[in-house]
């Protein structure tokens, strides 16, 4: 009996080792962070999930997900914009239910009908499509935007609900969109590689009968390696109730987030990225 129990524990550990919900970003998808260094624990919620976002057996970005509030804390990626169509398919993360489910993103319908998951299992682990129905003044706001990627697979990978927050509609289509589409192009001139971490500070209100938190702030930060191997950085923050984006230094944003999260000093990038 004892031997059987030990074998069950061993099998469980092996399954967990193959899951893309990881214990550390440094072990699996560190390539999305400058010098393989993810943000410190100053952003980590009480019930986190570290997701190496995988689609069609390829990693495209990393997300720290808040299992309790059903929103991402941040998504991290390498900025590689290019032309392409905006996807229309929304995906979910089966791996958040448990290791018996696929390790790559799937459509909600596919997960429920092909893999036998229940809607209760899915909704207990993450936001679902129904949560974002009939929104007023809000829409599905990407942290990692599809336009910052240069091929169809990487663009579609951003359409997972673990990369989405309820964002003020005017902000999402206005000042925030201007930052993503115009300011980023200007700021990344002469950048050889740009690492980005985009996040959301939880707010006091919810949608979907208290299931999904409406962030109080949306923020973004970037660390760039220039063509001459110099470093530069920048950051922005926006109240999720206003159509306005404030440009900051990286150090200023880290200090703001330190005060907003209240979990100790926040560090978003390796210390060699200028503050």
């Amino acid at each position: 009996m004892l031997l059987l129990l030990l074998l069950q524990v061993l099998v469980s550990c092996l399954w967990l080792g193959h899951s893309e919900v990881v214990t550390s970003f440094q072990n699996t998808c560190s390539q999305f962070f400058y010098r393989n260094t993810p943000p410190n624990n100053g952003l980590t919620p009480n019930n986190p999930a570290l997701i190496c976002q995988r689609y069609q057996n390829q990693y495209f970005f990393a997300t720290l997900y808040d299992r309790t509030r059903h929103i991402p804390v941040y998504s991290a990626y390498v900025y590689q914009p290019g032309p392409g169509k905006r996807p229309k398919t929304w995906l979910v993360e089966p791996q958040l239910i448990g290791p018996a489910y696929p390790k790559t993103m799937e459509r909600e319908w596919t997960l429920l009908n092909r893999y036998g998951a229940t809607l209760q299992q899915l909704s207990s682990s993450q936001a679902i499509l129904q949560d974002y129905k009939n929104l007023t003044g809000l829409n599905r706001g990407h942290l990692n935007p599809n336009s910052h990627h240069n091929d169809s697979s990487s663009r579609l990978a951003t359409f997972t609900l673990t990369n989405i927050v309820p964002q003020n509609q005017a902000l999402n289509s206005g000042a925030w969109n201007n930052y993503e589409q115009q300011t980023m192009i200007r700021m990344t001139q002469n950048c050889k590689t740009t690492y980005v971490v985009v996040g959301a500070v939880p707010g006091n209100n919810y949608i979907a009968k208290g299931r999904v938190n409406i962030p109080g702030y949306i923020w973004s930060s970037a660390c760039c390696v220039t063509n001459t191997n110099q470093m530069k950085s920048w950051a922005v923050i926006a109240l999720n109730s206003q159509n306005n984006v404030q440009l900051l230094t990286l150090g200023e944003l880290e200090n703001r987030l330190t005060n907003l999260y209240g979990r100790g000093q926040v560090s978003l990038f390796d210390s060699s990225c200028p503050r």
Side-chain angles (χ1 to χ4, degrees):
M1 187 69 182
L2 179 59
L3 178 59
L4 178 61
L5 179 61
L6 289 173
L7 286 172
Q8 289 175 333
V9 171
L10 177 60
V11 169
S12 174
C13 290
L14 287 173
W15 266 112
L16 290 171
H18 284 285
S19 175
E20 306 312 305
V21 176
V22 297
T23 56
S24 170
F25 284 135
Q26 292 176 315
N27 295 333
T28 308
C29 49
S30 62
Q31 67 268 32
F32 303 114
F33 304 94
Y34 173 60
R35 286 197 169 179
N36 310 115
T37 304
N40 69 353
N41 292 332
L43 301 176
T44 305
N46 293 330
N47 190 16
L50 283 69
I51 307 171
C52 290
Q53 299 279 18
R54 180 173 168 175
Y55 177 66
Q56 294 183 338
N57 294 319
Q58 183 176 347
Y59 298 121
F60 288 104
F61 62 106
T63 298
L64 177 63
Y65 192 70
D66 188 331
R67 292 176 181 266
T68 300
R69 296 183 177 91
H70 294 141
I71 59 171
V73 178
Y74 66 75
S75 287
Y77 61 96
V78 178
Y79 178 71
Q80 295 176 310
K85 294 182 179 180
R86 178 183 173 88
K88 296 181 180 180
T89 299
W90 288 95
L91 305 169
V92 292
E93 294 290 348
Q95 57 187 320
L96 288 181
I97 300 175
Y101 292 92
K103 295 177 286 186
T104 60
M105 307 170 189
E106 295 285 352
R107 298 185 187 193
E108 188 174 298
W109 185 94
T110 302
L111 180 61
L112 299 179
N113 290 275
R114 184 179 302 171
Y115 294 102
T118 67
L119 191 61
Q120 174 61 35
Q121 287 176 309
L122 181 61
S123 63
S124 296
S125 67
Q126 60 201 274
I128 59 175
L129 290 171
Q130 182 62 39
D131 293 330
Y132 284 90
K133 298 287 187 182
N134 304 316
L135 296 180
T136 301
L138 299 166
N139 54 22
R140 287 175 279 202
H142 285 72
L143 294 191
N144 176 3
N146 80 95
S147 61
H148 287 187
H149 299 270
N150 59 10
D151 63 70
S152 59
S153 293
S154 57
R155 282 173 173 264
L156 184 55
T158 67
F159 273 70
T160 168
L161 293 181
T162 55
N163 181 47
I164 301 298
V165 297
Q167 188 172 13
N168 179 286
Q169 190 171 9
L171 174 64
N172 192 24
S173 61
W176 194 260
N177 183 67
N178 290 340
Y179 172 72
E180 290 179 338
Q181 306 305 326
Q182 299 175 22
T183 306
M184 279 293 290
I185 291 175
R186 185 176 72 250
M187 298 294 285
T188 55
Q189 289 182 0
N190 301 319
C191 287
K192 181 168 54 178
T193 308
T194 303
Y195 297 87
V196 183
V197 180
V198 187
V201 181
N204 297 318
N205 298 310
Y206 287 76
I207 61 169
K209 299 180 180 179
R211 278 184 37 81
V212 179
N213 185 265
I214 302 173
Y217 294 84
I218 311 293
W219 54 268
S220 182
S221 58
C223 186
C224 150
V225 183
T226 70
N227 292 325
T228 57
N229 290 322
Q230 301 299 306
M231 299 301 305
K232 72 174 184 177
S233 65
W234 62 91
V236 293
I237 194 168
L239 271 170
N240 198 23
S241 58
Q242 299 178 10
N243 184 19
N244 182 62
V245 171
Q246 182 182 3
L247 185 63
L248 303 172
T249 66
L250 175 58
E252 287 171 339
L253 176 62
E254 289 177 333
N255 290 335
R256 287 281 294 276
L257 296 181
T258 298
N259 293 328
L260 288 169
Y261 283 93
R263 299 192 184 101
Q265 180 63 45
V266 169
S267 176
L268 299 175
F269 292 100
D270 180 86
S271 59
S272 61
C273 192
R275 266 53 184 182

